Amino acid sequence: MEKRDYYEVLGIPRDSDKNSLKKAFRKLAQQYHPDVNKTPEADVKFKEINEAYQVLNDDQKRAAYDRFGHAGLQGAGGFSNDFSGGFSDLGSIFEELFSGMGTGGNRSRRQPRRGADLRVDIKLTFEEAVFGVDKELEVPRLENCDHCSGTGAEPPTTVVTCSTCNGAGEIQRRQQSPLFGTVITATPCTTCGGTGEVIPSPCTKCRGQKRLQVKRTLNVKIPAGVDEGTRIRLVGEGEAGQLGGPPGNLYVVVTVQSHQVFVRDQFDIHLELPVNVAQATLGATVKVPTINGEIELLEIPAGTQTGRTFRKRGQGIPHLQRSGRGDMIITVRVVVPTNLNPEQKELFRELAKTFGDETPGQQKGFFDRIFGG
Ligand SMILES: [Zn+2]
Ligand SMILES: [Zn+2]
């Protein structure tokens, strides 16, 4: 593989000074370091950057490279493919490179933290989900301790700044790096555990934990139209934040019991309605139960077959957070009688005579086609 020009690799002009060389290298190294960049090219790219930097940062090698190109670095005193010298202090280089990137775990410990979100499951009856309901919920959550006002110190004592780290929460160590000069590494302070403060007399109620597990009763308004899996967010009803951070949210997750008769599909209600043979044949006005607990009338035309559907608009589930309701979809099921009294049996026999062996709707040649004529 042909080697790329080192200046091109680092994206700098040939007359760049050491300072801009270093800047360019750092920028690219942060971008392509295999710990950060997981693309397959990153590893190769990173080695290329590192090699270019090591050559151009060495006055002798740079002079040789400027005069003879890559050929000037071959052989004695030139650049070899052994990167071990270059990689030996990479550990500290990258500690330095990444310490400024704001990903350090100890650092965030001192910053206000938002409280955790909580989840409570609630089981509703079919009707409660359809029409909404006010529910009392028992929610255990962490709240700021009322005895110490969330400081963790027994009143009237107070929290004091950690003398080991002077409140920084970390101990900084300076080292000399051959590549970058002074390198600063930080480790969490063991005296205060990284919090930067010490509590000489911990609060007797929360034992210095600042927050307490409290069982709260919340009144939750469940809106009409919720369904299985609906999440209701109660802003700020989660756990208390830390170091002045805001509280988390509470999510109420809904489970709905199924109904004996009605089946829900989004905002529509399905109902299977049994009718008798006479109603289906002659047509009839039949009673239909609604989810409101009322009775509606439905006109079934003469000759209604089983499986035919009818729609009653606006008799479904109220839409969540907007007006209007879904529909009720009624599927007719024609029930063939099984327990006829003698009089009914006689009437059916009379009826049968008039039908003969003809079945309405049966296609002509039905049997012929099955038995091949
Ligand atoms: Zn400390
Ligand atoms: Zn307390």
Side-chain angles (χ1 to χ4, degrees), residues 96-337:
E96 188 211 27
L97 282 178
F98 297 127
S99 67
M101 291 173 78
T103 51
N106 342 325
R107 242 163 250 272
S108 59
R109 248 186 247 180
R110 298 278 298 132
Q111 286 166 0
R113 262 196 293 173
R114 188 175 165 275
D117 289 337
L118 292 177
R119 172 190 168 143
V120 176
D121 292 281
I122 188 169
K123 199 172 180 85
L124 302 178
T125 65
F126 188 84
E127 288 82 3
E128 285 173 337
V130 170
F131 296 110
V133 64
D134 288 339
K135 282 274 178 188
E136 274 201 347
L137 284 182
E138 285 255 292
V139 187
R141 69 168 190 179
L142 284 171
E143 287 184 4
N144 281 324
C145 173
D146 54 345
H147 185 57
C148 62
S149 311
T151 62
E154 176 71 14
T157 72
T158 54
V159 171
V160 298
T161 303
C162 173
S163 55
T164 309
C165 63
N166 289 320
E170 58 184 27
I171 308 291
Q172 290 193 341
R173 207 157 41 96
R174 282 168 185 275
Q175 271 181 317
Q176 290 303 309
S177 158
L179 275 180
F180 298 126
T182 308
V183 171
I184 299 165
T185 53
T187 48
C189 173
T190 48
T191 308
C192 61
T195 61
E197 54 187 35
V198 172
I199 305 169
S201 321
C203 167
T204 48
K205 192 167 176 187
C206 67
R207 297 199 193 87
Q209 296 301 300
K210 303 174 184 179
R211 298 188 298 174
L212 283 171
Q213 189 77 29
V214 178
K215 245 202 177 133
R216 274 190 354 139
T217 305
L218 272 180
N219 285 306
V220 182
K221 205 171 181 60
I222 309 286
V226 296
D227 200 357
E228 182 80 24
T230 302
R231 275 192 344 168
I232 299 161
R233 186 178 62 184
L234 300 174
V235 176
E237 298 292 355
E239 292 192 344
Q242 284 174 290
L243 300 163
N249 296 332
L250 172 68
Y251 291 93
V252 180
V253 181
V254 171
T255 313
V256 186
Q257 287 166 11
S258 56
H259 194 276
Q260 283 187 310
V261 175
F262 300 117
V263 176
R264 180 170 174 171
D265 175 23
Q266 310 266 11
F267 293 98
D268 289 337
I269 287 281
H270 288 266
L271 172 71
E272 194 183 80
L273 186 73
V275 298
N276 67 41
V277 176
Q279 289 171 319
T281 308
L282 303 173
T285 304
V286 294
K287 290 177 180 172
V288 177
T290 70
I291 51 167
N292 299 12
E294 291 157 359
I295 289 182
E296 286 265 322
L297 296 177
L298 178 70
E299 293 291 333
I300 293 184
T304 294
Q305 302 294 333
T306 205
R308 182 164 175 183
T309 58
F310 299 88
R311 186 178 285 261
K312 279 206 173 281
R313 300 215 175 265
Q315 289 288 350
I317 313 279
H319 289 300
L320 202 52
Q321 288 163 344
R322 65 186 171 92
S323 62
R325 289 170 63 166
D327 301 335
M328 173 156 67
I329 296 144
I330 302 149
T331 306
V332 163
R333 189 160 61 84
V334 181
V335 181
V336 174

Side-chain angles (χ1 to χ4, degrees), residues 71-87:
L73 303 164
Q74 302 296 323
F79 188 84
S80 75
N81 270 329
D82 175 14
F83 297 116
S84 60
F87 277 101

